[in-house]
Amino acid sequence: MASKLVLVAALATAATLCWESASAQASGPVSREQRKAETAAANKAGKLTPAGEGGAPVAKATAAPGSSPSRAQRKAETAAANKAGQLTPAGEGGAPKSTTAAAPSTKTREQRKAETVEARKKGELVPAGQGSPAPSK
């Protein structure tokens, strides 16, 4: 009785796998031109996720014709925001950085290099790409 149950389960699994394989092949591979056309259509519709650490795609705002600023106006606004430090760096997607200027360093380059060498010896440096340092104990 148990062997019949195992045989039926094995046949059901095999049938399912064969069906999935056959249905996947029925659609056929997509050509490069088709893939490029699909991507271009998704880009035009605003359904692609932006580069970087962004979340889900954001729908493009639709404005009434003639009500949006000209390209020159947008470029001027962006240049002013960039000069004021209000632009978010690509891929960081958080709140804009503080507009207050950082205080100039009071240490020389040699002092900073010596501190870095010492931190490396103690194992306090965070490997590249590993995020912020671990909290001290």
Side-chain angles (χ1 to χ4, degrees):
M1 187 70 170
S3 62
K4 282 186 179 181
L5 183 61
V6 171
L7 180 63
V8 169
L11 286 174
T13 303
T16 303
L17 292 175
C18 290
W19 173 256
E20 288 178 6
S21 176
S23 64
Q25 291 175 358
S27 63
V30 178
S31 70
R32 183 171 186 205
E33 290 77 25
Q34 290 171 326
R35 179 70 65 210
K36 287 176 80 172
E38 290 173 3
T39 304
N43 187 24
K44 190 172 186 179
K47 295 183 179 180
L48 293 181
T49 303
E53 299 178 12
V58 179
K60 292 182 179 178
T62 56
S67 67
S68 62
S70 69
R71 181 176 184 196
Q73 289 171 329
R74 287 194 314 269
K75 287 181 78 173
E77 290 172 4
T78 303
N82 187 26
K83 191 172 185 178
Q86 296 173 341
L87 295 182
T88 303
E92 291 190 11
K97 291 186 176 182
S98 174
T99 57
T100 59
S105 178
T106 58
K107 298 180 183 179
T108 65
R109 182 173 186 210
E110 289 76 23
Q111 289 172 327
R112 289 192 310 269
K113 286 176 79 171
E115 287 178 0
T116 303
V117 168
E118 186 65 28
R120 183 182 305 141
K121 288 179 183 177
K122 291 181 181 178
E124 295 174 347
L125 295 182
V126 178
Q130 298 295 320
S132 59
S136 59
K137 295 179 181 178

